[in-house]
């Protein structure tokens, strides 16, 4: 047991039916029904393989698609082939989650066999809007359709989805109320690694914040700054633009319009307050880049054309951030510096990521885009630790007890009824 949660070392698995929640959510090319990245699938393979090798009847629960935008939900069918290839053994799949067909399939599993169910978010109770509006307790989640239909067929529950540990949904927090529960090897590695690192990070401790998801960043920043966890913070992507806009700096009308359309202007007041109090610790972009007629353009603040939409930090900012990273002893990273998928907007992220690879400090990178950037630059082996969870990592760093962690601690004392 670690941090009050059972590990697989304590589990009797042979002949047992195991419900295993994984996070294999990946970008999908719907035209070819293929996955654009497989890093999260690869990460959960050790747990799935161990469960199978030890004779468990393995039932995998997973989601696919953004937790807010229903139109992004997609079947888990493409994931089956990838799992099968990485595991080097058959993986069954069914286009059902907890209906009669799925339950019959689970009952028919033999020792060591693996079954992947379809997208749990096809169930309303697994959607984040459901979570946010109803705010079910964990005991109430145990009475939802998913848990009531599948829990009686299982002997124990394993959660290996640290990337989704900040979500409070039945597939993540409901089964622990009625089944003996354990964390998988990936969850154990990620949660325990970050927990121990946060107890006493080597100084100076630097946070690198970018990307397009800003809500978690602004929820976390007041905590890590007020508690002195972060010695310095460097900002890029939307996070950087929000700070600049909050301080009245000209970032271009296109960038300002995007902040309003994406509902991120709501963070302007918080950004201004943070900078007024902790401005000596927060580094902001000094120049920005944009694309014009297919070519990259850069300008310092105060010289930016009024109608542009910035897509990257400029080279002067990237160089300043590089120096900060090389001085740091611990670096937490969440999100790239710009639209790194496009070559004309990738220079800032490339410079920052190369510094992360070169630094002698310990680096922790979280989130799908951060890992994708690392892989695309061939720097995976030169980073300290790659965490599959972006939102979960940020919530954890904010000092919040993650809902799944709380549920797993409860599940450590549950026995099969």
């Amino acid at each position: 047991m670690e941090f009050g949660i059972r590990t697989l070392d304590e589990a009797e698995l042979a002949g047992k039916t195991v419900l295993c929640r994984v996070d294999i959510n990946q970008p999908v090319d719907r035209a070819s029904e293929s996955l654009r990245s497989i890093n999260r699938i690869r990460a959960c393979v050790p747990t799935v393989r161990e469960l199978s090798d030890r004779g468990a009847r393995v039932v995998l629960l997973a989601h696919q698609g953004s937790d807010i935008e229903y139109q992004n939900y997609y079947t888990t069918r493409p994931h089956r082939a990838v799992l099968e290839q990485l595991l080097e053994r058959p993986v069954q799949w069914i286009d059902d989650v907890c209906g009669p067909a799925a339950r019959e399939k689970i009952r028919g599993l033999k020792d060591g066999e693996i079954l992947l169910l379809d997208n749990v978010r096809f169930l309303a109770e697994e959607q984040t809007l459901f979570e946010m509006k109803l705010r079910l307790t964990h005991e109430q989640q145990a009475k939802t359709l998913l848990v009531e239909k599948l829990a009686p067929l299982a002997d124990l529950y394993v959660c290996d989805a640290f990337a989704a540990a900040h979500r409070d949904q039945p597939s993540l927090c409901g089964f622990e109320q009625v089944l003996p529960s354990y964390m998988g090897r990936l969850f154990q590695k990620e949660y325990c690694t970050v927990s121990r690192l946060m107890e006493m990070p080597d100084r100076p401790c630097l946070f690198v914040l970018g990307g397009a998801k800003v809500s978690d960043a602004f929820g976390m920043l007041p905590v890590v700054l007020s508690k002195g966890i972060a010695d310095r913070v460097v900002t890029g992507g939307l996070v950087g633009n929000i700070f600049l806009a909050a301080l009245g700096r000209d970032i271009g009308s296109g960038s300002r319009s995007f902040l309003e359309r994406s509902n991120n202007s709501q963070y302007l007041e918080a950004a201004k307050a943070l900078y007024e109090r902790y401005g000596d610790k927060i580094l902001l972009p000094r120049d920005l880049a944009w694309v014009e007629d297919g070519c990259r353009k850069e300008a310092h603040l105060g010289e930016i054309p009024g109608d542009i939409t910035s897509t990257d930090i400029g080279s002067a900012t990237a160089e300043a951030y590089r120096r900060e990273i090389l001085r740091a002893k611990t670096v937490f990273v969440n999100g790239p510096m710009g639209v790194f998928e496009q070559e004309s907007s990738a220079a800032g992220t490339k410079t920052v990521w190369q510094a992360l690879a070169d630094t002698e400090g310990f680096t922790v990178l979280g989130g799908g885009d951060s890992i994708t950037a690392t892989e695309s630059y061939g720097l995976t082996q030169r980073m300290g630790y790659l965490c599959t969870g972006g939102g979960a990592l940020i919530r954890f760093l904010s000092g919040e007890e993650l809902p799944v962690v709380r549920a797993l601690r409860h599940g450590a004392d549950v026995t099969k009824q």
Side-chain angles (χ1 to χ4, degrees):
M1 187 175 291
E2 294 198 61
F3 296 97
I5 304 173
R6 288 176 175 173
T7 73
L8 291 182
D9 295 326
E10 305 163 66
E12 293 290 336
L13 296 172
K16 305 294 186 181
T17 298
V18 177
L19 298 177
C20 180
R21 177 60 158 95
V22 293
D23 190 332
I24 53 177
N25 183 29
Q26 301 279 198
V28 176
D29 183 338
R30 297 193 181 200
S32 61
E33 203 174 80
S34 61
L35 304 178
R36 296 194 180 103
S37 173
I38 62 171
N39 60 71
R40 281 183 171 170
I41 301 180
R42 185 184 295 114
C44 79
V45 161
T47 293
V48 180
R49 179 182 290 123
E50 180 177 347
L51 294 174
S52 175
D53 284 347
R54 291 173 60 183
R57 303 170 183 185
V58 187
V59 181
L60 300 178
L61 298 98
H63 71 275
Q64 174 57 48
S66 167
D67 49 12
I68 294 293
E69 299 168 316
Y70 181 81
Q71 64 269 25
N72 287 334
Y73 291 171
Y74 199 66
T75 177
T76 60
R77 183 171 54 243
H79 307 64
R80 184 206 63 81
V82 178
L83 274 167
E84 197 168 68
Q85 181 180 14
L86 294 174
L87 288 164
E88 299 180 320
R89 68 194 66 187
V91 175
Q92 302 176 51
W93 179 83
I94 187 168
D95 60 346
D96 189 12
V97 181
C98 62
R103 301 200 302 274
E104 187 62 28
K105 195 79 169 174
I106 292 170
R107 292 188 189 97
L109 286 176
K110 296 180 174 59
D111 295 356
E113 289 187 338
I114 303 165
L115 170 65
L116 173 63
L117 302 176
D118 213 344
N119 189 351
V120 295
R121 285 187 177 160
F122 287 157
L123 301 177
E125 63 206 47
E126 283 291 311
Q127 296 173 22
T128 300
L129 289 175
F130 186 101
E131 169 192 344
M132 295 168 63
K133 292 294 184 182
L134 295 187
R135 300 188 181 279
L136 299 183
T137 66
H138 291 177
E139 292 75 16
Q140 290 171 326
Q141 290 180 34
K143 299 183 184 301
T144 56
L145 181 72
L146 178 69
V147 179
E148 288 202 329
K149 292 296 185 182
L150 295 189
L153 305 178
D155 297 292
L156 55 97
Y157 171 80
V158 172
C159 187
D160 209 31
F162 182 76
H166 58 306
R167 296 299 174 203
D168 207 340
Q169 297 161 351
S171 70
L172 292 158
C173 301
F175 288 107
E176 293 95 330
Q177 313 309 307
V178 294
L179 289 173
S181 301
Y182 305 77
M183 55 182 168
R185 296 305 186 189
L186 175 62
F187 196 110
Q188 180 182 0
K189 181 180 180 182
E190 299 202 309
Y191 179 63
C192 295
T193 295
V194 179
S195 293
R196 292 183 179 118
L197 187 63
M198 281 300 295
E199 287 176 355
M200 193 176 294
D202 289 338
R203 303 286 181 176
C205 180
L206 176 70
F207 280 65
V208 178
L209 300 180
K213 292 185 177 180
V214 300
S215 58
D216 287 333
F218 281 97
M220 174 271 295
L221 271 173
V223 178
V224 298
L225 287 168
S226 65
K227 291 186 176 181
I229 297 170
D231 296 306
R232 300 277 268 179
V233 177
V234 302
T235 63
L238 275 181
V239 178
N241 276 355
I242 288 170
F243 270 105
L244 293 175
L247 298 175
R249 312 286 171 78
D250 188 7
I251 60 174
S253 60
S255 298
R256 280 189 172 274
S257 177
F258 180 78
L259 291 183
E260 293 171 2
R261 292 197 315 272
S262 60
N263 202 33
N264 284 311
S265 57
Q266 64 178 301
Y267 299 106
L268 292 174
E269 186 175 333
K272 184 178 180 181
L274 281 169
Y275 197 80
E276 287 175 348
R277 185 170 183 182
Y278 303 107
D280 59 327
K281 293 186 175 184
I282 302 172
L283 277 70
L284 304 181
R286 59 182 69 173
D287 58 347
L288 297 173
W290 67 97
V291 178
E292 187 176 310
D293 297 327
C295 298
R296 180 185 177 92
K297 304 283 187 179
E298 292 189 7
H300 284 272
L301 299 181
E303 302 174 358
I304 294 173
D307 60 347
I308 66 101
T309 300
S310 65
T311 56
D312 193 14
I313 57 172
S315 55
T317 302
E319 175 58 26
Y321 289 1
R322 186 187 73 84
R323 291 194 297 268
E324 286 292 330
I325 291 168
L326 294 179
R327 281 196 289 265
K329 296 299 183 184
T330 306
V331 187
F332 291 100
V333 184
N334 188 63
M337 297 293 98
V339 187
F340 72 98
E341 299 91 342
Q342 301 175 12
E343 184 60 32
S344 55
S345 303
T349 300
K350 280 184 177 179
T351 298
V352 168
W353 255 243
Q354 188 60 54
L356 293 170
D358 293 341
T359 185
E360 294 181 359
F362 189 80
T363 54
V364 179
L365 291 84
D369 284 345
S370 296
I371 295 176
T372 298
T374 304
E375 291 180 336
S376 66
Y377 302 145
L379 298 174
T380 301
Q381 301 305 316
R382 299 184 60 189
M383 300 301 182
Y385 189 71
L386 296 178
C387 180
T388 59
L393 176 62
I394 291 294
R395 294 281 184 89
F396 176 81
L397 295 176
S398 72
E400 177 183 331
E401 183 179 43
L402 300 174
V404 177
V405 170
R406 186 169 71 253
L408 284 170
R409 285 177 176 151
H410 175 85
D413 297 324
V414 171
T415 57
K416 174 67 175 177
Q417 301 299 316

